[in-house]
Amino acid sequence: MADFKVVVADPDSGNTYQVDVDGQDANRFLGRSIGEEVDGAAVGLDEFTLELTGGSDKAGRPMRKDVAGPNLKEVLLEGGVGYEPSRDGERKRITVRGREVSEETVQINVKALGDGDVATALGEGDAEDEGEDADE
């Protein structure tokens, strides 16, 4: 049975929210590729659509959009996801995971698409504001 940590990015505010997903909701992500859209109800965002933007496996290997399938592959990179060169022209062979979500995926990065406030929909926006007022 798959379970994921889904990191939801709110493009309007720039904030991110982490949601644990397991069971039937996690199965909605299996077999999907980077760039595809999933119903937001899987993470409790009923009025939103989620666009997959990336992820990683348990060893921290990133998913790359230009690698097909869910398997590991060694690719020669000049930069981008998974490798940041320290000087111009430097290349390195890096092991990355393909663009498809599988059982080996641990973290999934998504972007919330739709109108409304993501923090309020997840129930996190009001709790933070109340906590700040209590200290004063």
Side-chain angles (χ1 to χ4, degrees):
M1 186 62 93
D3 60 335
F4 304 115
K5 290 193 182 298
V6 179
V7 179
V8 181
D10 183 2
D12 295 333
S13 68
N15 294 332
T16 58
Y17 306 94
Q18 188 170 340
V19 180
D20 291 327
V21 178
D22 60 357
Q24 186 64 31
D25 291 332
N27 289 339
R28 295 182 190 188
F29 291 99
L30 289 175
R32 302 295 180 116
S33 296
I34 294 175
E36 288 187 29
E37 294 183 355
V38 179
D39 184 32
V43 295
L45 297 171
D46 295 329
E47 62 273 4
F48 290 90
T49 302
L50 305 175
E51 179 185 349
L52 274 73
T53 58
S56 61
D57 63 8
K58 64 182 176 184
R61 295 182 205 98
M63 296 171 65
R64 282 189 60 105
K65 190 172 187 170
D66 56 351
V67 177
N71 298 324
L72 293 175
K73 185 170 184 178
E74 288 188 358
V75 292
L76 186 63
L77 299 178
E78 294 178 345
V81 176
Y83 177 62
E84 186 67 36
S86 59
R87 61 182 189 269
D88 287 342
E90 184 177 19
R91 301 185 307 171
K92 191 171 183 181
R93 190 163 306 278
I94 301 291
T95 303
V96 295
R97 192 156 291 276
R99 66 176 161 248
E100 189 175 314
V101 177
S102 68
E103 294 279 341
E104 287 81 25
T105 305
V106 173
Q107 175 183 319
I108 301 173
N109 303 328
V110 298
K111 178 171 56 173
L113 305 174
D115 295 331
D117 187 29
V118 175
T120 305
L122 288 173
E124 295 188 15
D126 297 330
E128 292 176 10
D129 294 337
E130 291 174 10
E132 292 174 10
D133 293 339
D135 291 336
E136 293 178 7

